[in-house]
Amino acid sequence: MKRAIIFISIFLVILLLVLFKIFSDKAREKQSAAGVNANPLVPVEAVIVRDTTVEFRFVTVGTILANESVAIVSEINRKVVTIHMKEGSLVEKDQLLFKLDDADIVARINKLTVEEKLASENEVREKALLAKGGISQERYDMVSNRLNTLRAEIAVLRVDLSKTEIRAPFAGKIGLRSVSEGALVNPGIILASLQDISRVKIDFAIPERYAGDLRAGEKVIFTTDYAPEPFTATVEALEPSIDLSTRTIRMRAICENRGGRLVPGASVKVDLKLRSAEKSLFVPTSALIPSVKGYSIFLSKSGRAVRVPVKTGLRNRESVQVLDGILPGDTLVVTNLLRVRKDSPLKIVKLK
């Protein structure tokens, strides 16, 4: 009887041990399954970081200006006698454009010339008498002053006479005239306009942050609405200070105007190459993760996400330069960043 009791007890202990092992194995399987479900693979897209050369450009609007431009006006009140130019024609420097009435000026010059000749003869005689002591110094000075006064008056009239001939101050293209022969003109009336368009100026402005990127002598490309091909201009000068109202700096470029295709007053689109970064690491801007301490990114290493702080540099519309934190050949995660955590298992569905 005792043996039967002992045998039954041993059998029950073995049965309990077997059942305990079975339940323990099932519990571990459940825990393992639960652990796998807690860390599922995160599908992401990634790019391989490589050395890149990026150009930074800026597009702005400018205006075409004539190389030289002037309004032709009269300096005196006179009547237009003759017109020596044709509207829309090319004129040379110092070419006569308008002739004003000068009859009264010429008559006064002729009158004073006769008086000047007589005064000159008197001065010669009085000088000879003065040398012999025949007259006083005072009398000779009066005759001499009279001669000098006449000569000065003739010089003034010759200046007025020169103003009756209106000439081109430089070579260029004359515009439409606004007066006819016989018209009485004064200094407030514009007779015509003259522009030198053998080359043109391109005036434009750039934001102050680009002020150090352009220098005199650099090339810029611009286009117009009426010409399909681009033109090239050379930066000639820039303002020494920034406009406080617009926070921009004005610049001027010069372009040769062969054939006169570029028309002053027209607007242009100026395409500026500001700088280029060669052999730099550029990543998509969307890959950056901002934080209080700065920016960081996720790299894929051995199938898991590794968060790396980075130092950024130059930017353009789509990319940002990374100065520190990554190396060429690293695999950078660029999508699904909200689901990625440190050590998250990753499944790369697209690799660029």
Side-chain angles (χ1 to χ4, degrees):
M1 185 67 178
K2 289 183 178 180
R3 290 181 178 179
I5 293 172
I6 293 171
F7 179 78
I8 292 171
S9 299
I10 294 172
F11 176 76
L12 291 175
V13 170
I14 293 173
L15 180 61
L16 290 173
L17 291 174
V18 171
L19 292 175
F20 177 77
K21 187 176 184 307
I22 291 173
F23 285 118
S24 296
D25 291 342
K26 288 184 177 182
R28 282 196 295 270
E29 289 177 0
K30 289 182 179 180
Q31 289 178 356
S32 177
V36 171
N37 293 332
N39 296 289
L41 292 174
V42 180
V44 296
E45 296 181 8
V47 297
I48 302 298
V49 179
R50 301 187 186 279
D51 287 334
T52 309
T53 298
V54 175
E55 287 187 351
F56 289 82
R57 311 190 74 90
F58 178 77
V59 178
T60 185
V61 177
T63 303
I64 299 177
L65 301 176
N67 183 48
E68 300 291 348
S69 179
V70 67
I72 304 298
V73 297
S74 171
E75 297 183 63
I76 55 178
N77 295 320
R78 290 280 160 176
K79 181 175 68 175
V80 178
V81 177
T82 53
I83 297 175
H84 296 269
M85 61 85 179
K86 184 179 179 181
E87 294 174 307
S89 63
L90 296 176
V91 298
E92 299 296 330
K93 182 178 180 180
D94 293 328
Q95 179 178 329
L96 181 61
L97 304 178
F98 297 91
K99 177 60 179 174
L100 306 182
D101 181 26
D102 62 359
D104 60 328
I105 299 177
V106 172
R108 292 172 62 191
I109 291 176
N110 292 336
K111 176 179 178 294
L112 292 177
T113 301
V114 173
E115 295 180 6
E116 185 263 346
K117 182 179 179 181
L118 179 59
S120 178
E121 294 173 353
N122 290 335
E123 188 269 342
V124 172
R125 288 193 297 268
E126 296 296 326
K127 187 174 183 180
L129 290 174
L130 177 64
K132 297 177 181 179
I135 61 172
S136 65
Q137 182 68 42
E138 181 180 1
R139 177 175 174 79
Y140 172 76
D141 289 342
M142 291 177 59
V143 173
S144 178
N145 289 338
R146 171 61 177 167
L147 175 60
N148 292 334
T149 301
L150 289 173
R151 288 175 176 175
E153 291 179 357
I154 292 174
V156 171
L157 289 175
R158 292 193 184 280
V159 172
D160 290 340
L161 182 64
S162 67
K163 294 180 181 180
T164 63
E165 293 183 349
I166 301 176
R167 299 180 178 273
F170 51 82
K173 189 174 184 179
I174 201 75
L176 304 178
R177 59 183 173 87
S178 58
V179 296
S180 301
E181 291 184 0
L184 182 64
V185 298
N186 57 58
I189 296 178
I190 297 177
L191 309 182
S193 63
L194 177 65
Q195 294 185 337
D196 173 15
I197 57 173
S198 58
R199 61 177 190 164
V200 293
K201 302 171 183 176
I202 311 298
D203 278 14
F204 58 94
I206 61 174
E208 61 179 331
R209 64 179 179 273
Y210 300 133
D213 293 332
L214 283 179
R215 293 289 185 272
E218 295 188 16
K219 303 293 184 181
V220 297
I221 297 174
F222 67 94
T223 57
T224 65
D225 292 336
Y226 54 83
E229 74 277 8
F231 298 88
T232 301
T234 303
V235 176
E236 183 180 60
L238 61 158
E239 287 286 355
S241 61
I242 294 172
D243 189 326
L244 297 179
S245 60
T246 60
R247 310 307 304 181
T248 59
I249 183 168
R250 289 185 58 205
M251 310 192 73
R252 173 169 292 170
I254 300 296
C255 178
E256 296 297 328
N257 191 18
R258 298 180 179 88
R261 301 191 61 191
L262 298 173
V263 182
S267 63
V268 297
K269 291 182 180 179
V270 184
D271 187 357
L272 308 174
K273 180 182 177 182
L274 300 176
R275 69 185 85 166
S276 62
E278 299 180 357
K279 293 185 178 180
S280 298
L281 300 180
F282 280 83
V283 302
T285 306
S286 58
L288 292 180
I289 303 172
S291 66
V292 177
K293 297 181 179 180
Y295 290 103
S296 61
I297 58 173
F298 276 115
L299 298 178
S300 176
K301 293 186 178 182
S302 301
R304 291 192 172 271
V306 178
R307 188 162 184 165
V308 178
V310 294
K311 181 180 179 181
T312 60
L314 303 175
R315 290 174 178 261
N316 59 18
R317 293 180 179 179
E318 299 177 353
S319 304
V320 60
Q321 183 184 28
V322 177
L323 303 176
D324 186 30
I326 60 175
L327 296 172
D330 285 344
T331 303
L332 174 68
V333 179
V334 295
T335 62
N336 216 0
L337 297 176
L338 293 177
R339 294 181 57 187
V340 178
R341 298 290 183 272
K342 182 181 178 182
D343 293 328
S344 295
L346 303 177
K347 179 181 179 182
I348 298 178
V349 296
K350 187 176 181 180
L351 182 64
K352 298 180 181 180

